[in-house]
């Protein structure tokens, strides 16, 4: 079991960096756009609320020099945005914006975009190495997260096993429970120290600085980690006080105290992971908390049952019978909450096979199915163990004695070999525990993967649907036959389908830069239906021409005509076909 857990930890630590869960929905300026005048600020809009870092934005000029910008902030009343003010005077050329924020479910997300002022230029800015995860920090953070999940399951499972199943030698579980609590406290402290470097993508030692610790304490994830450590220290102090006074709480009091500590402890996970962002947040946090508690009661209880079986040759049949009922109740809760979490995380059947989240979920379902098969075997051997116990109670063993004399002297105490039912139950529970390690690993990976619903939405926003363009962009060269009268006009129909459209047009001069023209007229004609010309009535908006409302009544291949006047007396009309779909 230790070897298996060690190999899985190694696999987890060297896995690919965790994907973040906030998707970029849009930006102002738009990525790749060419502007006539320099923007005053850059604003990003995300699919969920985001947290900002000390250097969430890095802006590079065309010469790859880092510009001085204002502090990052949110647009007023919109926590799902990130905004930074730019210097007052930006020269001509292409600028690169590298950004990094923290999504609502505590995972960092980064990217880059470009915009140009006046005209596009070749940029040498290289931003990717500066904004990606530090592999060592990410590996340590992932391993600490897995250890926290594992130790929580062992700790809460041992408490639930002792409180509900009432094994005769409960003190045997004190050592693993203490080890689990110590590991949980240590891994939580490590997560807190690594929180700032994990968000910033820096080396792990950077988390020891006072500024990094202060930053972590002010974030929601850091505050929840501190609350988790406080709960663990409170529980440790209470347990030490009871041992010092040599007192044991009654069973009902033990259950009440365990529930009072377990619930807020589980909430420190639920409020910092997937459930904290997206739709139906209160319901999702409740479901995630119940899911985590049921997982700990079942899988951690398995570890407690396995240790109890190894230490007792003959276990009272009531102990595995009670655990069987506990496991059945836990599985029921896991199924109900798991169905809701899967629906919330996926959003569609397509996401089940087309996203990493969906494929990881399928792997977890397969592992859970194997776990249920092993649990069914354990339940069978538990029933046989109970039947054997009832048989021994009904027909107690008789001590032989010689005829006419006293009973034979008792034999020296010798270890009684376990019954076949106990041996088979041990093997079945061991198989369950081995599969449970895999389930915990896959659960940890799921919490570090973009939910299918978010991934599909981001893909739909980033790329058009098959065969249906999200916008129709047509570039038409023109030449008025006069000095400086050459260039091209780029016309965008958005969405380029039947119905209401917006029209934008940009005129480029001979040098490829933006050009100002006195007049621009754009019409569309559908020759096959003898419709048109329809005047778009674009208006000059200071560097580009546009209209927000233009109706295309039918599908087909339209003729797009642009009349460009380059001077008071010179103009030229050019055309190109454009396909309009439904």
């Amino acid at each position: 079991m230790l070897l298996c857990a060690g190999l899985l930890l190694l696999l987890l630590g060297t896995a690919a960096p965790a994907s973040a869960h906030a998707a970029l929905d849009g930006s102002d300026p738009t990525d790749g756009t060419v502007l006539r005048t320099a923007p005053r600020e850059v604003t990003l809009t995300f699919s969920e609320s985001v947290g900002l870092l000390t250097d969430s934005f890095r802006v590079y000029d065309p010469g790859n020099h880092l510009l001085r910008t204002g502090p990052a902030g949110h647009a007023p009343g919109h926590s799902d945005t990130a905004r930074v003010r730019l210097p007052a005077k930006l020269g001509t050329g292409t600028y690169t914006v590298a950004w990094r924020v923290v999504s609502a479910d505590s995972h960092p997300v980064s990217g880059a975009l470009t915009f140009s002022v006046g005209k596009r230029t070749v940029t040498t800015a290289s931003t990717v190495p500066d904004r990606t995860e530090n592999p060592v920090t990410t590996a340590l953070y992932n391993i600490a997260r897995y250890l926290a999940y594992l130790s929580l399951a062992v700790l809460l499972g041992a408490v639930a096993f002792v409180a509900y199943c009432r094994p005769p030698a409960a003190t045997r579980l004190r050592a693993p429970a203490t080890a689990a609590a110590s590991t949980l406290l240590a891994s939580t402290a490590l997560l807190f120290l690594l929180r700032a470097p994990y968000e910033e993508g820096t080396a792990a030692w950077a988390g020891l600085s006072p500024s990094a610790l202060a930053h972590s304490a002010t974030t929601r994830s850091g505050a929840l980690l501190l609350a988790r450590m406080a709960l663990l220290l409170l529980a440790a102090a209470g347990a030490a006080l009871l041992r010092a006074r040599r007192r044991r709480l009654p069973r009902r009091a033990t259950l009440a105290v365990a529930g009072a500590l377990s619930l807020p402890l589980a909430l420190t996970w639920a409020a910092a992971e997937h459930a904290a962002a997206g739709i139906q947040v209160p319901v999702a946090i409740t479901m995630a908390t119940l899911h985590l508690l049921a997982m700990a009661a079942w899988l951690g209880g398995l570890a407690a049952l396995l240790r109890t079986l190894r230490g007792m040759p003959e276990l009272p049949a009531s102990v595995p019978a009670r655990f069987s009922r506990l496991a059945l109740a836990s599985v029921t809760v896991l199924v109900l909450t798991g169905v809701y979490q899967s629906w919330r995380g996926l959003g569609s059947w397509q996401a089940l096979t087309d996203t990493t989240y969906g494929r990881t979920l399928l792997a977890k379902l397969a592992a859970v199915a194997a776990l249920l098969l092993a649990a069914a075997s354990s339940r069978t051997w538990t029933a046989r163990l109970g039947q054997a116990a009832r048989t021994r109670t009904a027909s107690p063993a008789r001590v032989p004695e010689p005829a006419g004399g006293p009973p034979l002297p008792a034999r020296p105490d010798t270890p009684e070999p376990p019954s076949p039912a106990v041996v088979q139950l041990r093997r079945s529970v061991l198989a369950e525990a081995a599969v449970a390690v895999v389930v915990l690993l896959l659960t940890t990976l799921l919490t570090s993967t973009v939910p299918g619903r978010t991934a599909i939405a981001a893909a739909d926003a980033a790329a058009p649907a098959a065969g249906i363009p999200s916008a129709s962009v047509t570039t038409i060269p023109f030449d008025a036959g006069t000095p400086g009268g050459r260039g091209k006009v780029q016309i965008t129909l958005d969405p380029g389908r039947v119905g209401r459209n917006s029209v934008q047009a940009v005129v480029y001069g001979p040098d490829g830069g933006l050009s100002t023209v006195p007049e621009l007229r754009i019409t569309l004609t559908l020759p096959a239906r003898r419709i048109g010309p329809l005047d778009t009535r674009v208006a000059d908006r200071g560097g580009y021409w546009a209209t927000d409302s233009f109706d295309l009544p039918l599908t087909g291949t339209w003729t797009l005509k642009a009349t460009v006047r380059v001077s008071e007396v010179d103009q030229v009309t050019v055309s190109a076909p454009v396909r309009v779909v439904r």
Side-chain angles (χ1 to χ4, degrees):
M1 288 292 293
L2 289 175
L3 177 61
C4 180
L7 291 175
L8 290 174
L9 280 175
L10 181 62
L11 172 64
L12 180 64
T14 56
S19 302
H21 304 156
L24 180 65
D25 284 344
S27 65
D28 183 18
T30 306
D31 186 17
T33 190
V34 179
L35 306 173
R36 179 176 176 81
T37 58
R40 296 295 298 139
E41 58 192 14
V42 174
T43 303
L44 307 179
T45 303
F46 296 91
S47 60
E48 62 184 49
S49 60
V50 295
L52 302 176
L53 306 173
T54 54
D55 63 340
S56 278
F57 287 93
R58 296 181 187 177
V59 183
Y60 299 87
D61 67 10
N64 196 24
H65 301 107
L66 184 63
L67 299 180
R68 277 190 158 183
T69 60
H74 297 290
H78 295 278
S79 61
D80 59 346
T81 62
R83 173 181 291 181
V84 65
R85 291 191 63 82
L86 299 175
K89 296 181 180 180
L90 296 180
T92 301
T94 298
Y95 292 79
T96 304
V97 180
W99 52 268
R100 186 178 180 91
V101 296
V102 181
S103 59
D105 55 8
S106 77
H107 298 283
V109 56
S110 59
L113 58 89
T114 63
F115 67 89
S116 302
V117 178
K119 64 178 181 179
R120 292 186 178 92
T121 58
V122 177
T123 178
T124 59
S126 178
T127 62
V128 173
D130 294 335
R131 310 303 289 165
T132 54
E133 288 82 0
N134 182 288
V136 176
T137 301
T138 302
L140 290 174
Y141 194 85
N142 286 339
I143 290 174
R145 290 179 68 246
Y146 179 77
L147 285 175
Y149 269 111
L150 183 62
S151 54
L152 176 74
V154 173
L155 176 61
L156 297 188
V159 173
F161 183 79
V162 171
Y164 183 75
C165 301
R166 290 175 283 177
T171 54
R172 293 183 53 84
L173 298 176
R174 180 179 299 171
T178 303
S182 302
T183 303
L184 180 56
L185 182 61
S187 60
T188 302
L190 181 59
L191 286 172
F192 181 79
L193 292 176
L194 293 174
R195 186 64 215 173
Y198 176 68
E199 292 180 352
E200 301 277 357
T202 57
W205 56 265
L208 298 176
S209 65
S211 59
L213 294 174
H215 171 74
S216 297
T218 59
T219 63
R220 182 177 62 177
S221 299
L224 289 171
L225 290 172
L226 289 176
R228 187 185 304 170
M229 286 190 285
L231 287 171
L232 291 171
L233 292 175
L234 179 64
L241 182 61
L242 288 176
R243 283 199 300 268
R245 295 185 176 182
R246 296 184 178 182
R247 293 182 57 187
R248 291 187 61 183
L249 293 177
R251 180 170 174 266
R252 291 186 178 180
T254 302
L255 287 172
V257 172
L261 289 175
S262 300
L263 183 60
L265 197 60
L267 276 172
T268 62
W269 267 273
E273 297 289 353
H274 287 170
I279 61 174
Q280 303 175 356
V281 171
V283 178
I285 289 180
T286 302
M287 291 293 185
T289 302
L290 293 175
H291 194 84
L292 185 60
L293 291 174
M295 178 272 296
W298 184 20
L299 304 186
L302 273 176
L305 177 60
L306 181 62
R307 180 171 178 83
T308 303
L309 286 170
R310 289 179 62 86
M312 300 184 65
E314 285 297 335
L315 185 68
S318 60
V319 175
R322 290 194 187 99
F323 177 75
S324 181
R325 292 192 292 269
L326 177 64
L328 181 60
S330 300
V331 169
T332 303
V333 174
L334 285 172
V335 170
L336 295 176
T337 57
V339 168
Y340 171 81
Q341 289 180 308
S342 299
W343 167 81
R344 184 175 182 270
L346 290 172
S348 66
W349 290 108
Q350 176 190 359
L352 192 60
T353 56
D354 292 356
T355 64
T356 302
Y357 183 91
R359 291 188 289 269
T360 306
L361 180 61
L362 287 175
K364 180 183 176 180
L365 291 176
V368 171
L371 192 59
L372 289 174
L373 289 176
S377 176
S378 298
R379 192 174 179 87
T380 300
W381 288 110
T382 297
R384 294 187 181 182
L385 187 63
Q387 183 179 3
R390 288 191 296 271
T391 302
R392 286 195 301 269
T393 302
S395 303
R398 300 179 62 182
V399 179
E401 61 179 61
L408 295 175
R411 292 179 296 176
D413 292 337
T414 57
E416 183 180 353
S419 65
V422 172
V423 173
Q424 293 298 332
L425 183 59
R426 286 179 186 173
R427 293 174 181 174
S428 180
V429 172
L430 181 60
E432 281 189 79
V435 181
V437 174
V438 179
V439 172
L440 281 174
L441 171 64
L442 293 172
T443 300
T444 307
L445 292 178
L446 270 179
T447 61
S448 301
T449 307
V450 179
R453 184 188 295 269
T454 303
I456 292 295
D460 290 343
I468 302 178
S470 60
S472 171
V473 181
T474 305
T475 301
I476 312 174
F478 66 86
D479 188 352
T482 60
R486 294 183 299 106
K488 58 185 179 180
V489 56
Q490 178 178 291
I491 304 169
T492 302
L493 294 176
D494 189 6
R497 298 195 290 265
V498 171
R500 185 66 53 88
N501 286 260
S502 64
V503 183
Q504 298 90 30
V506 180
V507 180
Y508 297 96
D511 61 351
L514 292 178
S515 177
T516 302
V517 295
E519 185 180 354
L520 177 65
R521 183 170 181 259
I522 299 173
T523 63
L524 283 103
T525 304
L526 184 59
R529 296 292 186 94
R530 297 181 182 181
I531 297 177
L534 305 180
D535 192 350
T536 60
R537 301 183 185 276
V538 293
D540 189 358
R541 295 190 176 178
Y544 72 101
W545 298 72
T547 180
D548 295 329
S549 178
F550 175 70
D551 289 325
L552 287 169
L554 297 172
T555 62
T557 302
W558 291 70
T559 299
L560 179 66
K561 287 187 178 182
T563 300
V564 186
R565 186 156 63 90
V566 296
S567 67
E568 292 297 329
V569 296
D570 299 308
Q571 71 177 33
V572 62
T573 299
V574 292
S575 63
V578 58
R579 177 70 177 168
V580 176
V581 297
R582 186 170 299 278

